Amino acid sequence: MFREMRRKRQLLAEEESRKILEQCTAGVLAVAGDDDYPYAVPISYVYREGRLYVHSALTGHKIDGLKRNPRVSFCIVAQDEIVPQKFTTCFRSVIVFGKARIVEDEQECRQILRWLGAKYAPGQEENCEEEIRQQIARTAVIEITAEHITGKEAIEIVRAREEKATV
């Protein structure tokens, strides 16, 4: 169902892709937008055991798109270093293809919001609980179950690693 990467040498190991998902703080969520235009929006997230979690307003373009079609993609750029003298970019990125659902259970929503709070405001548990209490009624929580994860890095990074290994 999902395309294979053409440049297999640049394919990140699954473990490395998951590590990037766990460590990065922002990605771009793409949903089926209005009139068949893709809608991509930068968003904060937390990744746990093959699932991405994000929060949102209860209504809007993103929610409408998810209700229309639960299939999404989520892209993270973990490294982006321009190398002008070589007319290239040293990059590392991950793309997740998956299905999204709006979490309905309030206790599940609260737990996910706690995970987000712990990631983005470590040590602020009490403040996080108060924020959740105040915002839960107007917050949607979205779970994206990964169906396919692929990571890629620039050929220059691959070559540098291979060169280092032969020294």
Side-chain angles (χ1 to χ4, degrees):
M1 175 175 2
F2 297 99
R3 292 182 184 210
E4 284 189 36
M5 188 178 298
R6 288 182 308 115
R7 298 183 176 181
K8 292 184 185 357
R9 247 175 99 193
Q10 293 175 254
L11 180 67
L12 292 176
E14 187 175 322
E15 180 181 307
E16 186 63 23
S17 293
R18 291 184 192 284
K19 188 172 161 185
I20 288 169
L21 286 167
E22 290 167 358
Q23 293 175 347
C24 287
T25 59
V28 177
L29 176 65
V31 302
D34 298 341
D35 296 321
D36 293 328
Y37 281 98
Y39 177 66
V41 59
I43 197 161
S44 301
Y45 72 96
V46 66
Y47 176 79
R48 289 180 156 252
E49 300 175 7
R51 290 179 171 80
L52 291 160
Y53 299 97
V54 302
H55 72 288
S56 170
L58 294 172
T59 60
H61 202 159
K62 174 175 52 243
I63 297 295
D64 291 346
L66 293 174
K67 287 179 178 177
R68 209 175 9 260
N69 182 345
R71 290 187 202 105
V72 300
S73 67
F74 187 80
C75 177
I76 296 168
V77 179
Q79 179 181 340
D80 182 30
E81 178 186 339
I82 298 169
V83 186
Q85 63 275 23
K86 293 187 178 181
F87 299 95
T88 193
T89 303
C90 287
F91 68 90
R92 299 181 94 217
S93 63
V94 174
I95 298 177
V96 176
F97 295 91
K99 288 199 178 131
R101 75 175 178 96
I102 298 170
V103 178
E104 301 292 339
D105 180 75
E106 185 176 324
Q107 291 309 311
E108 189 179 2
C109 288
R110 286 179 181 278
Q111 181 56 58
I112 294 164
L113 292 170
R114 285 183 194 109
W115 292 338
L116 285 159
K119 180 175 182 176
Y120 294 96
Q124 298 288 317
E125 292 83 9
E126 285 183 34
N127 293 339
C128 181
E129 284 299 323
E130 180 59 22
E131 186 72 10
I132 291 169
R133 189 188 68 70
Q134 290 179 17
Q135 301 296 328
I136 191 82
R138 56 180 163 257
T139 301
V141 174
I142 300 161
E143 175 189 75
I144 300 164
T145 301
E147 294 183 320
H148 183 70
I149 298 172
T150 183
K152 184 178 180 180
E153 63 187 357
I155 192 65
E156 291 78 11
I157 296 172
V158 174
R159 288 179 184 143
R161 188 174 41 255
E162 290 172 349
E163 188 176 295
K164 191 175 184 179
T166 60
V167 174

